[in-house]
Amino acid sequence: DAPREIPYASGCLMLLRGGALREIGVLSPEYFIYWEEADWCHRARDAGYICMYEPKSVIYHNFRSAALGYETPFHMYMQYRNALIYAKKHYHGLESLRFWLFYPIYMFYRFLLDIRAKNARAAKAIIWGVLDYFRGFRGKQGLKERGFLKS
């Protein structure tokens, strides 16, 4: 319940200094949704800024969350594809090694969770996200092909 420095601020609400925005730039379009605020905060930290949590602030965000295993295919696709984009961009050395060794185990666990919950479309979306990451898809690329965006 005390103000403190945090690794990143949620994109639901971020208050930024104009100078920081001019120096760092806007959210990267290579993510489109999910992980873009983590990327921005990482770039801000690299530029010498910090992210702070203020417990007195209150925001209302119209967000509907699903239980583990019941997320939408779109969420799973974007979450896992973009995690790989973020890792490639920001993790180096031992941090990169740790990510690429252990994150696939976590993704497999999430895949099995979706299968167990009979959410095969979300499980398939994890695989699509990984494959499309390796195909070089960024931003909105692949979303129409996967049925997430209408023409």
Side-chain angles (χ1 to χ4, degrees):
D1 290 337
R4 67 180 185 279
E5 187 175 338
I6 55 176
Y8 81 97
S10 169
C12 297
L13 175 68
M14 297 171 78
L15 300 175
L16 313 169
R17 293 185 179 271
L21 195 55
R22 283 187 291 280
E23 181 180 346
I24 297 156
V26 297
L27 297 174
S28 173
E30 70 186 320
Y31 298 95
F32 174 58
I33 188 172
Y34 301 123
W35 288 88
E36 72 279 12
E37 72 267 48
D39 172 75
W40 193 92
C41 291
H42 199 118
R43 290 184 286 136
R45 278 195 319 276
D46 288 348
Y49 293 93
I50 61 170
C51 295
M52 293 294 296
Y53 163 71
E54 174 49 66
K56 292 178 187 170
S57 65
V58 177
I59 67 163
Y60 297 94
H61 178 42
N62 186 10
F63 174 74
R64 193 173 46 145
S65 180
L68 282 179
Y70 297 96
E71 298 90 354
T72 67
F74 174 77
H75 171 82
M76 299 305 278
Y77 175 87
M78 296 305 292
Q79 189 67 250
Y80 293 97
R81 188 199 70 175
N82 290 353
L84 299 175
I85 294 170
Y86 180 87
K88 174 120 172 81
K89 186 174 182 179
H90 293 293
Y91 294 158
H92 307 288
L94 185 58
E95 194 174 38
S96 176
L97 178 64
R98 203 170 37 234
F99 177 86
W100 292 104
L101 282 175
F102 295 109
Y103 199 70
I105 296 168
Y106 173 72
M107 285 191 298
F108 184 65
Y109 163 74
R110 290 306 310 271
F111 175 83
L112 292 178
L113 239 161
D114 286 332
I115 294 297
R116 186 171 180 208
K118 296 180 176 37
N119 193 356
R121 290 184 64 228
K124 190 190 296 186
I126 294 171
I127 295 168
W128 286 344
V130 172
L131 292 175
D132 287 352
Y133 163 77
F134 286 108
R135 289 172 70 188
F137 286 10
R138 303 295 183 264
K140 292 184 180 181
Q141 284 180 302
L143 297 183
K144 222 182 272 182
E145 178 182 294
R146 301 298 184 196
F148 297 129
L149 286 181
K150 304 233 187 292
S151 299

